[in-house]
Amino acid sequence: METLMSILIGLFFAIGTYLILTKSLLRIILGTSIISHGVHLLILTMGGVKAGGPPLLGFEEITFTDPIPQALILTAIVINFATTALFLVLSYRAYKVIGTDNTEKMRGNEDE
Amino acid sequence: MSLLHLAIISPFLLAVLVPILYKLFKKVHTGWFILPLPLVLFVYFVSFVSATSTSQPIIESFTWIEALGIEFTAKIDGLGLLFALLITGIGTLVILYSIYYLSKDKEKLNTFYVYLLLFMGAMLGVVLSDNLIVLYAFWELTSFSSFLLIGYWYDREKSRYGAQKSMLITVFGGLSMLGGIILLYIMTGTFSISEIIAQSDVIFTHPLFVPALLCILLGAFTKSAQFPFHIWLPDAMEAPTPVSAYLHSATMVKAGIYLVARMSPVFADHALWLWLIAGFGIVTLFWGSFSAVKQTDLKAILAFSTISQLGMIMSLLGIGAAALHFDGIDDKYHTIATTAAVFHLINHATFKGSLFMVVGIVDHETGTRDIRRLGGLMQLMPITFTLAIIGSFSMAGLPPFNGFLSKEMFFTAMTHIIDFNVFQLDTWGILFPVIAWIASVFTFIYSMILVFKTFTGKFQPEKLEKKPHEAPIGMLISPIILASLVIIIGFFPNILSVNIIEPALSAIMPEFLFEVHISFWHGFNLELWMTIGVIVLGTLLYLSLAKWRKIYGLFPEKLALNKAYDHGLLFAQNGSLKMTRMYMNGSIRSYLIYIFAFFIAILSSVLFSQNAFKIDLEHASDVRYYEILLVAVIVIASVAILFAKSRLTSVILLGAVGYTVALFFVNFRAPDLALTQLVIETISVSLFLLCFYHLPKKRNEERMAFKATNLVISIGVGAVVTLIALSAHSTKLFESISQYYVENTYTEAAGKNMVNVILVDFRGFDTLFEIVVLAIASIGIYAMIKLRMKGAK
């Protein structure tokens, strides 16, 4: 399962990178979201999947899945959500002010 | 801190007071307050003369940075004392001269004297330091204060150009010298010059010997304006004339010569030392005298003349090194080169200082320094004319002035080079006297131009801005003193030999015992005939100057070193501009491509060069059929984003991916993650939709344009991540620490949900700041939506 997950994570990274390299701001944000999914799954996979029951003591199992990666991912998800929301609003504002979501047209400033 | 240290830093202390004195006593010329200091210092240094000539050098130490072995060690030996006397003596005369030269009302005297005092202190520090780091610090301070003095009239463009040029070249050399100093420290473990000299046999066999030698020499050559680094000196003539007289003839340009003389006991055993110094010196001698004839500006003539004479001293120091290799018949001829170097060093300081002051007077009284506009000043300025005659004839090497004596010694040293059968000097050595003789002819010519084009010929008052008359007496005192010295040393050459020259020589070449006796008349020998030849040919060439001067026109300006410097500087500026423009094009995509390309290149090269790639499926869990189904769904959804035409479709597809990830979390026994992921994905998708609902739909939505580069980069990134994930999972170096959490979650923290207990109990800090992140993001969003700058949409 880990091998399959590794390939899937690689695919996520590839798709995310491709989206980030495009011109449209929306697609860049989509790309970062996909990459963050990849990262979350990567953390989980590296901790080993399906090694036991869910990390809840009430289940009375002998082995449990590693709880640390899950705690890390939970933190990462929330932070990722915060930044995504911020970037979304930022790009929305940029679109409103500049009138484009094409990053190639956002180049340069008066100082140059 | 001893009195000697106080003497070195006293110019800095006075420099602090100068602006106050300038403000308090507006009516008095500030220079009068400065004048006593170099005079007192001169007298103070004279008191060392008897001590250094008879006994050991005087050493005073003062701890600066003890841990690094850097001590401010002041050391007075013959060489240091000679330079200290030159610096303070000529310093006194220059300050006296500047009092009459610079106007009290028009010039910013406070800055001038601050810079000049900085320079004087720095120069004293250079020649009296025994510690190389301290020497370097003072060395850079001389470059810096020289920069300030050249740019004294900073509103003139040429001043700024000259200052920048001299700064760039001397600081380049200074940095290289620092490299040499550090190499010496690596070899010997000390910064003290005396201790380094004591270990010179260790250094000689060390592999870093040659690099250290080259680095030190580069510093000396740039400072002393040796070919091809001489180009800064003519441009430094934009400085006020007292500065040119002091810095660019008598003191600072001799710092490189001081360094070479000081380091001779360390390096002189090597053939490279001899060849580089003698070779570059003689080329500089020739090139300086050859170029001086071409100049029409008096100060430019003197600048090239200084270059040429510095080359002469340098080549003598180089040839003097041969004495170390030759324990042969007669030591006289082998040490005479070094003697001539030191003797000419003194002579040059006297006559060049007075000549600069003479030129300053001419400039001051006529308003020009251009020899094409000058002429016939003899009757108007008789004293200045006499001074010019003395200085120029001494410079040309005519009797009865001191320049004659040192030039004769120079010829003696040069003609005896072929006797040395070391380093192939017996074959190639013949070039030295020939070049030296030709250079002396040119020296004669420009010395004559200097005097006769200025003071004889037709007087052209219509070309002059002022009505010329003799200079005030105060301005004449300093050149008169220097010119008197020229004559006194000329007639009584041995007054300095026992007390000044001999101790200096034994500092340069500690192995030898010197008994200097300079005879004024030494019979009809080869050297005298060479001088007669110089005079005859020089006179003929001077008289026919108009006929052959055209050969200077043949020399292409494009090949001149100044052009090379200018183009080099321009090339460096434009080149770096072009290079920066090339990669910093302002497009985010390009930067991201650089970042990703480096990511791929470095990670994959490390992965394979370290043999880290490994697949081990032992710990891998099995794959169920529904998991394959999940993978298939998520692959289709994510790939479809790439091909989605409308924004809405791609947002919905992203939602599909997010929900499938939540299903993965379910499958991988992570209930809290699944919950959070579901909720957050829902909110994210609604945010996306909310944002794009408000966007104006003014243009047709289109598919992503395909770019091969993007595809290659993204496939590379994906592949690298996959490979690293596989290798990382296959290489478990140690067990997880999670067993501790499993065992202690209930007993220590009273909870059964391990993930939640980790989040709020074991690792609660993470959670605190994650809350902060959320708070900042929400405030940010609120601010972006609500806040509007005035005038913005």
Side-chain angles (χ1 to χ4, degrees), chain A residues 26 29-30 33 77-93, chain B residues 647-648 651-652 654-655 659 678-695 774 777-778 781-782 784-785:
Chain A
L26 168 68
I29 298 171
L30 288 177
S33 296
I77 288 175
V78 176
I79 291 174
N80 175 53
F81 166 69
T83 49
T84 307
L86 189 73
F87 281 136
L88 260 176
V89 178
L90 185 65
S91 69
Y92 164 72
R93 283 296 303 152
Chain B
R647 287 180 251 178
L648 198 63
V651 170
I652 289 168
L654 182 73
Y659 287 130
L678 279 173
V679 175
I680 288 218
E681 201 58 40
T682 314
I683 301 172
S684 294
V685 169
S686 20
L687 254 176
F688 268 101
L689 294 177
L690 200 66
C691 265
F692 292 102
Y693 176 77
H694 283 286
L695 288 183
L774 264 183
S778 49
I781 290 169
Y782 179 81
M784 271 194 290
I785 291 171

Side-chain angles (χ1 to χ4, degrees), chain B residues 471-493:
Chain B
I473 183 68
M475 219 172 188
L476 287 167
I477 295 172
S478 302
I480 286 173
I481 293 174
L482 286 172
S484 318
L485 278 173
V486 169
I487 299 175
I488 292 169
I489 298 174
F491 280 110
F492 308 103

Side-chain angles (χ1 to χ4, degrees), chain B residues 151-422:
Chain B
Y152 176 64
W153 287 308
Y154 52 79
D155 43 355
R156 298 183 190 172
E157 206 203 325
K158 283 178 107 180
S159 295
R160 297 198 301 268
Y161 172 79
Q164 187 206 36
K165 193 174 184 178
S166 75
M167 185 75 159
L168 286 176
I169 292 177
T170 53
V171 166
F172 160 72
L175 275 178
S176 137
M177 192 182 90
L178 180 65
I181 289 169
I182 291 166
L183 290 180
L184 280 175
Y185 180 75
I186 292 169
M187 286 188 269
T188 60
T190 176
F191 284 123
S192 160
I193 298 176
S194 339
E195 285 171 37
I196 288 172
I197 291 172
Q199 297 187 46
S200 58
D201 47 339
V202 178
I203 301 170
F204 190 68
T205 50
H206 203 280
L208 289 175
F209 177 83
V210 174
L213 186 155
L214 293 176
C215 284
I216 296 270
L217 271 192
L218 200 57
F221 281 179
T222 48
K223 198 76 163 182
S224 276
Q226 298 295 297
F227 188 89
F229 307 110
H230 64 273
I231 49 172
W232 67 267
L233 190 59
D235 285 310
M237 290 301 130
E238 292 304 320
T241 304
V243 171
S244 310
Y246 189 39
L247 275 70
H248 306 125
S249 76
T251 53
M252 187 181 90
V253 286
K254 291 197 172 115
I257 286 177
Y258 168 79
L259 188 72
V260 166
R262 183 53 91 201
M263 296 316 248
S264 276
V266 183
F267 293 112
D269 277 335
H270 203 280
L272 200 60
W273 179 262
L274 190 159
W275 273 113
L276 283 177
I277 296 179
F280 274 94
I282 204 92
V283 169
T284 312
L285 166 65
F286 171 74
W287 189 248
S289 61
F290 178 72
S291 309
V293 177
K294 174 171 69 167
Q295 309 302 322
T296 52
D297 177 51
L298 288 175
K299 274 178 98 174
I301 297 178
L302 287 179
F304 278 104
S305 146
T306 303
I307 291 166
S308 156
Q309 310 268 328
L310 291 169
M312 172 175 158
I313 300 173
M314 203 61 110
S315 67
L316 283 169
L317 281 176
I319 290 160
L324 295 170
H325 302 273
F326 204 63
D327 311 317
I329 327 103
D330 195 349
D331 265 345
K332 197 181 102 190
Y333 290 132
H334 311 125
T335 52
I336 200 165
T338 319
T339 315
V342 172
F343 190 46
H344 193 70
L345 181 80
I346 302 169
N347 294 345
H348 178 252
T350 55
F351 67 69
K352 193 52 64 67
S354 76
L355 280 177
F356 265 110
M357 290 176 187
V358 163
V359 166
I361 290 170
V362 170
D363 187 15
H364 204 264
E365 301 306 327
T366 62
T368 182
R369 301 193 308 249
D370 194 328
I371 51 171
R372 290 167 298 192
R373 291 162 66 188
L374 291 166
L377 295 175
M378 189 163 59
Q379 281 82 15
L380 294 163
M381 308 166 81
I383 304 173
T384 317
F385 173 61
T386 319
L387 295 171
I389 287 267
I390 296 170
S392 302
F393 282 20
S394 178
M395 182 158 75
L398 302 180
F401 307 108
N402 58 5
F404 170 66
L405 302 167
S406 41
K407 182 139 292 186
E408 293 293 280
M409 289 166 77
F410 170 58
F411 282 150
T412 315
M414 286 292 161
T415 47
H416 285 90
I417 282 183
I418 36 178
D419 296 346
F420 301 176
N421 50 6
V422 282

Side-chain angles (χ1 to χ4, degrees), chain B residues 530-608:
Chain B
M530 282 170 86
T531 302
I532 292 170
V534 165
I535 296 171
V536 172
L537 188 65
T539 314
L540 289 175
L541 284 175
Y542 172 69
L543 293 174
S544 58
L545 192 61
K547 288 183 187 125
W548 60 271
R549 205 175 195 166
K550 290 191 195 80
I551 63 154
Y552 285 107
L554 296 176
F555 184 74
E557 274 295 311
K558 268 187 189 166
L559 288 180
L561 285 160
N562 275 320
K563 286 267 189 271
Y565 166 83
D566 289 338
H567 283 296
L569 208 59
L570 210 63
F571 176 78
Q573 282 174 3
N574 289 344
S576 54
L577 191 67
K578 263 185 201 158
M579 221 154 93
T580 316
R581 287 251 166 91
M582 201 174 71
Y583 70 86
M584 288 196 50
N585 55 5
S587 149
I588 300 171
R589 182 175 161 261
S590 314
Y591 304 152
L592 286 168
I593 284 179
Y594 307 147
I595 295 169
F596 285 127
F598 269 98
F599 170 84
I600 297 166
I602 288 172
L603 285 183
S604 57
S605 64
V606 168
L607 199 61
F608 289 104

Side-chain angles (χ1 to χ4, degrees), chain A residues 1-15 17-24 26-30 33-35 37 40-42 44-58 62 64-79 81-93 95-104 106-108 112, chain B residues 585-589 592-593 596 617 620-623 627 631 634-635 638-639 641-642 644-645 647 650 654 657-658 661 664-665 667-670 672-673 676-677 680-681 683-684 687-688 691-692 694-696 698-699 702 704-707 710-711 713-714 717-718 721-722 725-726 728-729 732 736-738 741-742 745-746 751-755 758-759 770 773-774 777 780-781 784-785 788 793:
Chain A
M1 190 66 209
E2 277 87 350
T3 315
L4 192 62
M5 287 307 291
S6 295
I7 295 166
L8 179 67
I9 290 157
L11 182 74
F12 271 21
F13 269 85
I15 292 171
T17 310
Y18 193 88
L19 286 168
I20 282 179
L21 290 174
T22 56
K23 293 179 212 161
S24 149
L26 168 68
R27 291 206 172 98
I28 290 174
I29 298 171
L30 288 177
S33 296
I34 299 240
I35 286 189
H37 284 317
H40 300 156
L41 287 177
L42 181 66
L44 198 65
T45 312
M46 291 302 103
V49 290
K50 301 194 289 182
L56 299 165
L57 285 176
I62 308 152
F64 296 98
T65 309
D66 197 336
I68 301 172
Q70 298 194 11
L72 295 181
I73 295 167
L74 201 58
T75 312
I77 288 175
V78 176
I79 291 174
F81 166 69
T83 49
T84 307
L86 189 73
F87 281 136
L88 260 176
V89 178
L90 185 65
S91 69
Y92 164 72
R93 283 296 303 152
Y95 204 124
K96 282 271 180 177
V97 174
I98 306 169
T100 178
D101 76 335
N102 185 344
T103 55
E104 294 293 311
M106 293 181 182
R107 293 154 70 160
E112 255 185 345
Chain B
N585 55 5
S587 149
I588 300 171
R589 182 175 161 261
L592 286 168
I593 284 179
F596 285 127
L617 298 177
S621 50
D622 50 342
V623 185
E627 288 168 343
V631 171
I634 204 164
V635 167
S638 53
V639 170
I641 294 177
L642 293 174
K645 193 176 168 188
R647 287 180 251 178
S650 34
L654 182 73
V657 171
V661 168
F664 270 105
F665 288 151
N667 181 38
F668 293 150
R669 327 272 197 268
D672 297 295
L673 288 186
T676 319
Q677 179 67 30
I680 288 218
E681 201 58 40
I683 301 172
S684 294
L687 254 176
F688 268 101
C691 265
F692 292 102
H694 283 286
L695 288 183
K698 60 179 176 183
R699 72 182 160 87
E702 54 193 22
M704 238 183 322
F706 174 74
K707 278 208 177 77
N710 295 3
L711 187 67
I713 293 278
S714 45
V717 170
V721 171
T722 304
L726 287 173
H729 187 255
K732 286 261 190 278
S736 166
I737 56 163
S738 49
Y741 294 112
V742 175
T745 299
Y746 190 68
K752 288 186 176 175
N753 184 333
M754 289 180 225
V755 174
I758 289 175
L759 280 174
E770 155 198 347
V773 168
L774 264 183
I781 290 169
M784 271 194 290
I785 291 171
R788 294 286 183 276
K793 282 186 251 182

